[in-house]
Amino acid sequence: MGRYVARRLLQMIPVFIGTTLLIFLMVYALPGDPVAGLFGDKGGSPQAVAALRHEYGLDKPILVQYVNYMKDMVFHLDFGTQIASGRPVTDILGEAFPVTLRLTALAFTIEIVLGLGLGILAGMKAGKLADTLVLIFTLLMISVPVFVLGFIFKTVFAFQLGWLDPNVNDSTNYGQLLMPAIVLAGLSLAYVARLTRSSVAENLRSDYIRTATAKGLPRRRVIGVHLMRNSLIPVVTYLGTDLGALMGGAVVTEGLFNIKGVGGTIFESIQRREGTTIVGLVTILVLIYLAASLLVDLLYAVLDPRIRYA
């Protein structure tokens, strides 16, 4: 196991370099100049613009900028400086990421609990009324865009019923984060439910389930141990990749509910062409994706004893 983990960590290095380089090149290929944008419509003198570009290292070749960025990040944990405010990007990360982490954690919990619960119910009742209702519900969740679902929730539960706040004023209040978390988790919840349903229904017809039942094992053990451990393998694969997707895909949700997290920061940075801020935020998301991928691979051995890493 140790050798496998070490090999995977080494494999992550070129993946990390490749993804960050691609992001860096794409961001700095965007039209516009963040330095010139500081001076507004009137614009600044060429000398002042050139001095600021030199100060932030924007006058150097793009690959030199990337190498300098990687050196500062790896050896000094320095993600650069935001041009518009002059603040270190690490400070912005420190403010934005805890907010998104709380929102993502709540959405991920809802996704797991409801997604697995509905999927198991539908799989155990395959072809019956409960299965049909779950499939219709998940199809609706998949079909409705996130921004439409967000407006529906705000209109019904905030403006008409008054059960929840329409906007998030306190990002540490999980009660205010509940509605945006449900909206954020809606699409992924539907996929988890349908994936779990298919896996459970298929494994129910497997020989090892019939054998376990024929041996007289309690139904709770047959389902809870034998059925679920094998059925969860494809679901865990999806959940591992979806964790990073929830954090990176919260731009619309955070905008709808006035949440000052990673999504909102990325959106504002794209508008201002703040390449340093965008690259710093996305770099953290890349690290989360890689860590989640490694964790999923290790969970395979826990769920299925037949899987062993030499």
Side-chain angles (χ1 to χ4, degrees):
M1 179 71 76
R3 293 178 59 186
Y4 173 78
V5 173
R7 187 167 65 249
R8 282 297 309 274
L9 291 175
L10 290 175
Q11 292 174 352
M12 288 180 181
I13 295 175
V15 174
F16 176 72
I17 294 175
T19 52
T20 52
L21 176 60
L22 181 60
I23 294 165
F24 198 90
L25 294 175
M26 291 176 64
V27 167
Y28 282 92
L30 293 173
D33 188 347
V35 174
L38 293 176
F39 297 94
D41 296 333
K42 295 182 179 181
S45 64
Q47 294 81 6
V49 173
L52 283 174
R53 289 181 61 83
H54 179 73
E55 178 183 349
Y56 291 108
L58 298 177
D59 56 343
K60 299 177 181 178
I62 186 67
L63 292 180
V64 175
Q65 294 183 44
Y66 174 74
V67 172
N68 292 335
Y69 170 78
M70 292 296 291
K71 287 195 302 184
D72 291 338
M73 182 188 65
V74 173
F75 296 109
H76 306 290
L77 293 179
D78 182 5
F79 289 86
T81 303
Q82 190 180 58
I83 297 175
S85 63
R87 298 174 58 200
V89 175
T90 50
D91 292 348
I92 299 171
L93 293 175
E95 294 176 359
F97 258 93
V99 176
T100 299
L101 282 175
R102 284 190 288 269
L103 176 63
T104 302
L106 187 56
F108 197 62
T109 302
I110 294 172
E111 175 184 344
I112 292 176
V113 174
L114 292 183
L116 288 179
L118 292 175
I120 294 171
L121 174 64
M124 298 296 296
K125 304 291 184 180
K128 299 181 180 179
L129 178 61
D131 180 29
T132 303
L133 293 177
V134 170
L135 291 178
I136 293 174
F137 169 74
T138 55
L139 183 61
L140 287 174
M141 295 297 290
I142 293 172
S143 303
V144 178
V146 174
F147 66 91
V148 175
L149 186 64
F151 278 121
I152 292 174
F153 269 66
K154 290 183 70 171
T155 301
V156 175
F157 296 104
F159 299 134
Q160 294 185 358
L161 298 178
W163 292 352
L164 299 169
D165 295 326
N167 294 313
V168 176
N169 300 314
D170 181 9
S171 61
T172 61
N173 187 334
Y174 283 94
Q176 294 186 11
L177 290 175
L178 179 60
M179 185 161 56
I182 295 175
V183 173
L184 180 61
L187 178 62
S188 300
L189 182 156
Y191 282 125
V192 169
R194 295 175 76 92
L195 189 59
T196 304
R197 182 260 179 201
S198 299
S199 186
V200 169
E202 180 181 355
N203 283 307
L204 272 176
R205 299 189 295 267
S206 300
D207 292 337
Y208 70 90
I209 293 296
R210 287 194 289 266
T211 302
T213 304
K215 290 171 62 177
L217 293 178
R219 182 172 176 80
R220 182 175 58 183
R221 181 172 177 81
V222 173
I223 296 174
V225 177
H226 297 282
L227 176 64
M228 291 310 304
R229 289 181 66 175
N230 288 278
S231 300
L232 285 178
I233 290 179
V235 181
V236 167
T237 303
Y238 176 80
L239 289 174
T241 57
D242 191 55
L243 180 60
L246 287 176
M247 296 191 66
V251 177
V252 176
T253 306
E254 291 184 359
L256 280 173
F257 295 95
N258 192 34
I259 302 174
K260 304 301 182 182
V262 171
T265 305
I266 290 177
F267 181 72
E268 293 176 359
S269 300
I270 292 174
Q271 286 184 317
R272 294 196 301 260
R273 200 188 173 279
E274 281 283 356
T276 306
T277 307
I278 299 173
V279 173
L281 291 168
V282 177
T283 298
I284 300 298
L285 294 178
V286 170
L287 291 173
I288 293 175
Y289 266 111
L290 293 175
S293 176
L294 176 61
L295 181 61
V296 166
D297 287 347
L298 296 179
L299 282 176
Y300 287 161
V302 177
L303 294 173
D304 191 345
R306 296 170 298 179
I307 300 176
R308 289 291 181 267
Y309 297 117

